[in-house]
Amino acid sequence: MDVDFVYDTHKRVHLVDISGEHVAVANFLNSVFSPARKETRDIELLITQIEQQLPSILYKEWTLSIDGDDVTIQHNSCFDQDTEHTEDTSIMDWELKSSCSTTDLTELLINWVDFIETT
């Protein structure tokens, strides 16, 4: 994953910027967490939950499903879709669902915590 950590000086929050196929990871992190300086407790809790290999972690708008070494991050609106996707609608799917290894996600979160604590 190509990740950039950003500090929004106007809103005074830390954000994650990821381009490409893992943009859903950034969308999830930025919508669930908007940490100000030194506010890393909730992110550290997520790290712990991932390390505990919980089968799923539920948020208001997102769900993380953990299966062994893989984690799928999916917007809850994807669960409501009963119809088959056409080619046009699947273009937006990559913004709402992404998979990566638990190691990669944990490393991203640890680096984000480090960034938050130093800026």
Side-chain angles (χ1 to χ4, degrees), residues 28-42:
F28 157 69
L29 293 173
N30 292 330
S31 68
V32 172
F33 307 102
S34 51
R37 190 168 193 199
K38 308 279 187 190
E39 292 180 0
T40 60
R41 186 172 27 119
D42 291 338

Side-chain angles (χ1 to χ4, degrees), residues 65-111:
S65 302
I66 300 173
D67 183 17
D69 292 334
D70 296 320
V71 62
T72 300
I73 298 170
Q74 185 170 343
H75 193 272
N76 292 338
S77 66
C78 296
F79 294 112
D80 297 334
Q81 298 172 355
D82 294 330
T83 59
E84 193 172 308
H85 295 292
T86 65
E87 196 169 311
D88 292 336
T89 59
S90 64
I91 293 172
M92 298 298 285
D93 289 346
W94 62 276
E95 294 180 352
L96 301 175
K97 183 177 180 181
S98 182
S99 295
C100 62
S101 73
T102 55
T103 304
D104 287 344
L105 182 58
T106 302
E107 183 178 323
L108 182 153
L109 294 170
I110 290 169
N111 290 334

Side-chain angles (χ1 to χ4, degrees), residues 44-59 63-72 102 105:
E44 291 168 344
L45 175 62
L46 176 58
I47 294 168
T48 301
Q49 291 173 322
I50 292 169
E51 290 173 342
Q52 292 174 345
Q53 295 284 311
L54 299 177
S56 63
I57 303 167
L58 304 174
Y59 291 91
T63 299
L64 277 71
S65 302
I66 300 173
D67 183 17
D69 292 334
D70 296 320
V71 62
T72 300
T102 55
L105 182 58

